[in-house]
Amino acid sequence: MPPDPSTEIFEAQRPRLLRLAYRMLGAHAEAEDIVQEAWLRWHRSDRGRVAEPAAWLTRIVSRLCLDAMKSARFRRETYPGTWLPEPLIEPADEEMRADNITLTLMVALERLSPLERAAFLLHDVFNQPVDEVAATLQRSPAATRQLAARARAHVRVDQPRYEIAREDSRAIVEAFFEACRLGDATALGSMLAEDATLRSDGGGKVMAFPNAIHGTDRLVRLYLGLSRKLGGRMEFLGHLVIDGLPGFLSRVDGHLQTSALDISGGRITAIYITRNPEKLARLTGA
């Protein structure tokens, strides 16, 4: 049986649609559900009247995501403690990383309204023309430009990033883990930027810090306390690249977790720890 041309068209777009849905929602399963719904709508549509399938499918996925984000925002308002996007691990998800967004930017996107987030992602990240984005959002081109501009201001994407060589980042990752395990205050103080921030997501299922923790002194004291209590139960399980950031998988007090480090100028500026078992299911195969 010859391949169905309409199926081939959709499958060619599927990786990009999954990437868009994940960037909008920050969750793999929800992104897959959105793309599956887009497939059903594509299959039911009069495809002969669709002049530009890629634009049509982008519009459908974007609108489905906007609807999903309304309920997602409510869930996150009642989420136990800090919410972080589900870890996006490389190299298995290289196609998902084609947009070059980092975990730090994903966290910053949470400050945006759904419309601002959609305008920014569609225009600035997925390179959709303003007129197409406006049609998707059902706003005027002028209003769409304002949405994207406000989003840029909120996430400050124009700030230059210091790119660190992968081998150097691996060395920092290992040194950081050892300093945490051993409670080495001097080493921790030398690696952390003065305004470093830690965020951890346990989802109410495992222990995590409910609020972000800021500043080198507080972080050093925190890790010294953890070392005294759990240092003997910290196990390094391997290096990871987590949504563009160097990181690692570890087991702490019997629980798996990922840790992503944002490194600038040779120092750690942000630490993102995911402990929620539901968000690690893909990583563990559960």
Side-chain angles (χ1 to χ4, degrees):
M1 180 180 295
D4 178 9
S6 66
T7 299
E8 290 186 327
I9 289 171
F10 186 88
E11 291 304 320
Q13 295 296 318
R14 182 184 290 274
R16 186 179 62 84
L17 298 174
L18 277 170
R19 193 165 69 246
L20 172 60
Y22 170 76
R23 293 308 185 191
M24 292 274 276
L25 301 172
H28 293 287
E30 291 181 28
E32 289 171 345
D33 289 345
I34 290 291
V35 173
Q36 181 61 25
E37 176 61 25
W39 157 248
L40 294 174
R41 296 192 182 197
W42 170 250
H43 186 67
R44 294 194 299 261
S45 69
D46 183 355
R47 295 179 293 280
R49 300 181 63 183
V50 178
E52 298 182 20
W56 189 93
L57 289 167
T58 296
R59 189 171 302 171
I60 293 297
V61 166
S62 299
R63 288 178 177 171
L64 288 170
C65 285
L66 283 169
D67 289 340
M69 288 167 72
K70 295 174 184 176
S71 59
R73 286 178 74 86
F74 172 76
R75 291 197 304 274
R76 288 170 197 173
E77 287 172 359
T78 59
Y79 191 82
T82 298
W83 183 94
L84 291 175
E86 186 177 338
L88 186 60
I89 308 299
E90 297 175 67
D93 292 299
E94 281 182 352
E95 178 60 39
M96 293 286 282
R97 284 281 307 136
D99 49 52
N100 205 35
I101 288 181
T102 67
L103 177 57
T104 298
L105 181 53
M106 283 289 286
V107 172
L109 291 177
E110 287 299 307
R111 301 198 298 264
L112 306 180
S113 72
L115 284 174
E116 288 171 341
R117 183 168 182 151
F120 172 76
L121 287 170
L122 289 169
H123 183 260
D124 288 45
V125 176
F126 288 84
N127 300 312
Q128 294 287 305
V130 169
D131 288 348
E132 288 186 17
V133 179
T136 297
L137 302 184
Q138 299 178 317
R139 296 292 188 276
S140 70
T144 300
R145 289 190 187 92
Q146 290 180 345
L147 286 167
R150 286 203 302 268
R152 287 184 214 109
H154 284 309
V155 301
R156 297 178 295 178
V157 294
D158 57 337
Q159 290 190 348
R161 286 184 51 80
Y162 175 84
E163 297 297 331
I164 183 169
R166 182 155 293 196
E167 58 271 21
D168 293 336
S169 68
R170 288 171 70 91
I172 293 175
V173 162
E174 291 181 9
F176 176 73
F177 175 81
E178 280 301 296
C180 294
R181 185 178 67 83
L182 298 174
D184 188 335
T186 301
L188 285 168
S190 69
M191 284 187 280
L192 293 167
E194 184 176 349
D195 58 350
T197 299
L198 180 147
R199 292 178 171 86
S200 63
D201 180 343
K205 297 172 175 60
V206 296
M207 186 191 77
F209 307 114
N211 301 306
I213 300 170
H214 305 278
T216 301
D217 291 343
R218 293 186 65 192
L219 288 175
V220 168
R221 289 197 300 271
L222 180 147
Y223 277 113
L224 290 179
L226 287 177
S227 175
R228 285 193 295 270
K229 294 177 182 177
L230 303 173
R233 300 195 294 277
M234 293 183 182
E235 181 183 2
F236 186 90
L237 299 178
H239 291 273
L240 297 174
V241 179
I242 304 170
D243 221 349
L245 300 183
F248 57 94
L249 177 68
S250 62
R251 184 178 286 108
V252 178
D253 199 25
H255 297 286
L256 287 176
Q257 65 181 50
T258 60
S259 301
L261 309 180
D262 197 355
I263 301 170
S264 180
R267 293 201 168 203
I268 299 167
T269 59
I271 306 162
Y272 303 100
I273 299 173
T274 300
R275 309 195 77 215
N276 185 342
E278 291 182 357
K279 296 187 178 183
L280 301 177
R282 286 175 173 267
L283 189 60
T284 61

